Amino acid sequence: MVRRKSGRRSAEREAGMGFNQLPFGQVYSPYSPFEILSADQLEAIHQASLLVLRDTGMTFLLPEARELLKAAGADVQPGSDRVRFEPALIEALIKTAPSRFTMHSRNPAFNCEMGGNIITYGMVASPPNATDIDRGRRTGNFEDFCNFMRLAQLINVAHHVTGYPVEPIDIPVPVRHLKAYQAGVKLCEKVSFGYSHSRERILDVIEMTRIVRGISEEQMTREPSLFTVVNANSPLQYDRAMLEGIIEMAKRNQPVIVTPFTLSGAMAPVTIAGALVQQNAEALAGIAMTQVVNPGAPVLYGGFTSNVDMKTGSPAFGTPEYAKAVLVGGQLARKYGVPYRTSNVNASNAPDVQSAYESMNSLWSTMLAHGNYINHGLGWLEGGLSASFEKVIIDAEMIQNMIAFMEPLEVTEDSLAVDAINEVGPGGHFFGTAHTLARYETAFYAPMLSDWNNYENWSELGGLTATERANRIYKKLLVDYERPLMDPAIEEELDAYVDRRVAEGGAPLT
Amino acid sequence: MVRRKSGRRSAEREAGMGFNQLPFGQVYSPYSPFEILSADQLEAIHQASLLVLRDTGMTFLLPEARELLKAAGADVQPGSDRVRFEPALIEALIKTAPSRFTMHSRNPAFNCEMGGNIITYGMVASPPNATDIDRGRRTGNFEDFCNFMRLAQLINVAHHVTGYPVEPIDIPVPVRHLKAYQAGVKLCEKVSFGYSHSRERILDVIEMTRIVRGISEEQMTREPSLFTVVNANSPLQYDRAMLEGIIEMAKRNQPVIVTPFTLSGAMAPVTIAGALVQQNAEALAGIAMTQVVNPGAPVLYGGFTSNVDMKTGSPAFGTPEYAKAVLVGGQLARKYGVPYRTSNVNASNAPDVQSAYESMNSLWSTMLAHGNYINHGLGWLEGGLSASFEKVIIDAEMIQNMIAFMEPLEVTEDSLAVDAINEVGPGGHFFGTAHTLARYETAFYAPMLSDWNNYENWSELGGLTATERANRIYKKLLVDYERPLMDPAIEEELDAYVDRRVAEGGAPLT
């Protein structure tokens, strides 16, 4: 179900683009989440993860983080980077994490609620390659980065940007976070993202976000405006940069998406239950860390448990095991009362049927799990190693299907249509009835990519596969793209900040 | 979850076929069905459909059917083909329908349970065209028919045959049911199907089924062995042939799959709730008819509510509306305690991403709805106008994903793996641990079509899309196909029956 906030549908119809978009808006599931574990089974995973945190604990590679945790009551021994937690301490620390908050965008029309039964979809993040079916695969670059940001602005079911939709590898690393954020935030107004790659970098992005929103530091602390993801170095380790990210973001009340990467059979046990125990231990320790820094800071429970293919050693995504892990992750996040991050993933090397059915395993399970922040929603291919332009459109269509599915079935005297059925009677049809005429224009979901012409008409129109149509659609969108307005004073301040930091050398690798 | 009955997996591995199949077996869902309507909303649909049957009723075009219904208490007026039912009469009549029964095959290893949380998948049925990516689309013919029957025999997740997988249009109509059944039952041992196209034809197929099973009429009455589908001529009409099918099948205790075809906006109201009211009225009347003929005869509640595309007038399949109708259909079937038939459908004209994501909408919703008999499970394309060889393989993979998803997540002390996590500790990996080594070979679902190689290896292997790989797989399966054994005496009796009936002219069109 969508509460409409702003729409492009009518404008596109006028422009004769030939495809439909649902309006941008807050999507929420009217259905109970689908739960595959009993309360006892869930509790068994919870208890097992607490045992891991008590007996083995986790490595926290940043001394400042260890000091904060020690002061909060964790077991930290001198000369060791290991931190152990008593079960009661973890349970007490995570209690202050909020179950719901609002994310603020540079354009308030694109603000997003997080939590409860609200479902949001983000763009793909971080692939080192870009691909389309015209030019094939190439190393991530600034031009493709900008085009993906343009699509993120134009596609209504992209609720937020979740990182670089493709890594702009042609921008030198010390200034990449500056130049990429600067360009991206001008091209796309959706809620933005900063990488926790070092203290200096995340502070730059926090400051740029504040400038773009045109607000004070105090207001930004009241109004979360920037996401970051913090991955555990699974198993059981947080590195310095990630911990600096937690500290600087949580301190300023900006949400941290704590996401272990627990690949069953590689960095996590070969059993999915075991991988979930490890995911949960790592997530709870990361969530606890945010609350130690700033009790009440917004934080998300992230799950990213999948399995390796035992034949090739490659990670597999969008598998049956993945779907089960997604659903259990949702149960755990709800147990802790924290919004849930999950992902739309697949392992295919082409925007083909495999990419579609693996993504649909992901999209159905994330929707049924009440995934509040669905990362990599649009464009992910090759297990995350490529961002695909066609896949952005294919995913947009599949996500629109999910959103239309979440539109509750109306059961009213009027929609039950007993009078219309009796009026038409045996052997008739409903095409011309008043009941049909009053409703047919908006009765059903209208797709942006699916072609429902019969075979003859479809053949006459060129007999294009859906992937070939997606190629045309993304190119048409880019042709019609217009940069959203930005207050010239804000733009000037942003550019000045970036110029100054670039002149200073950016944030060199340390 | 699968209870293994017989498997081909090891034989295929030995043959170096390079892809895996799950074993043939009884699949059941360990999860509660997903329900999208409240009990009150469901009751509103039920009550509305009873009003339609009371006030407008249905046309029953066969006098014999009207007489049986009149004798059972329905309102039938002289000179009219309309039959009206008091709500209490419908509710009383359907009570005798069994909630569970066993279907018997010519090979008991392929028997199927029907009902409860058991999920079975059938082949595509009845397309007038066949297609593959080598030769393209052609009119349905006997050669393609036989090849689809061979695939039905070889593919383990095809639990039953659901009609002609493609219409063998080159066999003259009067003898088509004889020659197609004769050929099909020799090529494939799975539970079989007869069309209710006339009394004479369905009686021929019933008799051939009895011969092939090598049993008496009495034993066949105790052991249901043949499915038929009876479609309403929606709205609100059953034709002569369909009613003859109900009468002859129910009389012999063979299951009738009562399936209204309620296309919202065309032959049913433009609201999905209204289309479901009509579906339910038609289904209840058909189910009641089976029980009037033979109280306790096996019968299925069939749902086939989708919507027309208001732009082209074509039927759309695998839409969000379809998924919702599938789930409500399951709720209604459970309310009446009757097994549920639903379908794996899509409206794409090519075995492309659209065919995959629309089918996945179907497969996820049918699985969540506890669809007991999932028709058109493998091979349906173009809204049912073509049977696709590649789509058979794509669907087999997607169905295997569903079945693997229904394997319950094991939560035991052993699978929680606390000891393994503690043993590996921070920064290690699980590749060589005893916990991994003891489990890795069977830990995860192994696909038959998905390719999880990395991009470089995939490119070196030819960079084939999943549809191109599906093409290779179906051709390899056909090369390796071997006809299953049939008792020579039975084969002789079957051939003699067909020869005699063909010599008599078969069943001419009337």
Side-chain angles (χ1 to χ4, degrees), chain B residues 51-226:
Chain B
L51 288 184
V52 168
L53 289 176
R54 185 192 69 185
D55 296 341
T56 295
M58 281 188 74
T59 295
F60 283 73
L61 290 174
L62 183 73
E64 179 188 352
R66 294 197 297 272
E67 283 154 28
L68 286 165
L69 290 169
K70 185 176 172 129
D75 172 16
V76 183
Q77 299 299 322
S80 165
D81 50 23
R82 193 72 68 87
V83 180
R84 292 181 177 81
F85 301 84
E86 282 300 317
L89 177 64
I90 285 285
E91 292 183 325
L93 287 176
I94 65 170
K95 274 216 170 72
T96 52
S99 59
R100 197 157 174 151
F101 58 92
T102 301
M103 282 305 285
H104 298 263
S105 150
R106 53 169 277 213
N107 175 349
F110 294 116
N111 288 0
C112 286
E113 287 285 306
M114 282 286 133
N117 59 351
I118 295 165
I119 320 279
T120 66
Y121 296 91
M123 289 291 287
V124 60
S126 314
N129 301 287
T131 187
D132 65 42
I133 60 174
D134 300 314
R135 295 170 50 202
R137 192 192 208 231
R138 61 264 184 184
T139 299
N141 59 81
F142 185 64
E143 187 192 339
D144 284 322
F145 167 89
C146 290
N147 282 331
F148 281 112
M149 293 302 289
R150 292 182 178 106
L151 293 178
Q153 171 71 6
L154 287 175
I155 293 178
N156 292 333
V157 298
H159 293 103
H160 37 68
V161 172
T162 62
Y164 306 148
V166 68
E167 188 82 21
I169 289 172
D170 47 356
I171 308 179
V173 168
V175 300
R176 189 179 295 162
H177 66 291
L178 298 162
K179 298 234 172 207
Y181 189 89
Q182 176 188 33
V185 80
K186 291 183 187 181
L187 293 168
C188 177
E189 299 168 294
K190 310 274 172 87
V191 170
S192 61
F193 182 94
Y195 286 97
S196 286
H197 284 166
S198 73
R199 191 185 306 264
E200 200 178 2
R201 287 189 184 84
I202 194 68
L203 287 174
D204 276 333
V205 180
I206 291 169
E207 178 60 7
M208 289 188 286
T209 303
R210 187 196 64 74
I211 291 169
V212 168
R213 288 208 56 219
I215 58 176
S216 65
E217 287 183 16
E218 292 66 32
Q219 187 174 349
M220 181 138 151
T221 300
R222 290 194 306 274
E223 298 180 352
S225 309
L226 181 71

Side-chain angles (χ1 to χ4, degrees), chain A residues 220-224 248-255 294 296-298:
Chain A
M220 182 136 150
T221 301
R222 290 194 306 275
E223 298 179 351
E248 299 306 331
M249 288 285 283
K251 200 186 284 179
R252 290 167 182 81
N253 205 42
Q254 303 302 310
N294 180 10

Side-chain angles (χ1 to χ4, degrees), chain A residues 164 168-180 201 505-507 509:
Chain A
Y164 307 148
I169 288 171
D170 47 357
I171 308 178
V173 168
V175 299
R176 189 179 296 164
H177 65 292
L178 298 162
K179 298 236 173 206
R201 287 190 183 84
L509 288 171

Side-chain angles (χ1 to χ4, degrees), chain A residues 258-474:
Chain A
V258 178
T259 311
F261 182 25
T262 34
L263 201 58
S264 182
M267 292 95 85
V270 76
T271 50
I272 296 295
L276 286 165
V277 166
Q278 188 183 311
Q279 166 188 299
N280 200 52
E282 294 174 3
L284 288 178
I287 292 169
M289 179 84 231
T290 66
Q291 301 305 301
V292 165
V293 172
N294 180 10
V299 60
L300 283 85
Y301 181 106
F304 207 92
T305 290
S306 193
N307 59 286
V308 292
D309 172 24
M310 286 303 182
K311 213 172 71 182
T312 62
S314 302
F317 292 106
T319 60
E321 288 83 4
Y322 179 78
K324 284 183 254 187
V326 163
L327 289 162
V328 176
Q331 292 189 249
L332 289 164
R334 280 189 297 282
K335 181 182 179 75
Y336 306 128
V338 176
Y340 178 42
R341 167 257 158 103
T342 174
S343 305
N344 172 22
V345 289
N346 72 90
S348 187
N349 289 298
D352 63 356
V353 297
Q354 181 184 334
S355 77
Y357 62 66
E358 290 181 342
S359 280
M360 283 298 261
N361 278 339
S362 304
L363 287 170
W364 270 91
S365 56
T366 54
M367 183 258 293
L368 293 169
H370 286 194
N372 303 114
Y373 180 103
I374 299 175
N375 210 349
H376 308 301
L378 301 99
W380 157 301
L381 209 63
E382 288 177 31
L385 294 179
S386 275
S388 158
F389 283 100
E390 290 84 12
K391 189 67 167 29
V392 169
I393 304 301
I394 296 165
D395 282 323
E397 173 70 79
M398 296 193 293
I399 289 170
Q400 290 203 156
N401 270 261
M402 293 297 118
I403 294 173
F405 175 77
M406 288 186 269
E407 199 68 44
L409 192 65
E410 192 191 298
V411 181
T412 59
E413 193 178 329
D414 189 64
S415 68
L416 289 168
V418 171
D419 291 346
I421 297 170
N422 287 335
E423 177 197 331
V424 168
H429 64 76
F430 291 77
F431 287 115
T433 65
H435 189 263
T436 301
L437 291 176
R439 290 166 188 77
Y440 79 96
E441 281 190 358
T442 55
F444 306 126
Y445 168 67
M448 68 184 283
L449 175 62
S450 298
D451 184 332
W452 293 335
N453 279 292
N454 64 27
Y455 182 81
E456 291 70 23
N457 290 340
W458 172 79
S459 299
E460 265 175 39
L461 290 166
L464 299 181
T465 67
T467 299
E468 290 164 337
R469 295 195 303 274
N471 175 273
R472 294 194 175 187
I473 291 172
Y474 98 77

Side-chain angles (χ1 to χ4, degrees), chain B residues 260 262 274-284 301-305 325 329 332:
Chain B
T262 35
L276 286 165
V277 166
Q278 187 182 313
Q279 166 188 299
N280 201 52
E282 295 174 2
L284 289 178
Y301 181 107
F304 208 91
T305 291
L332 289 164

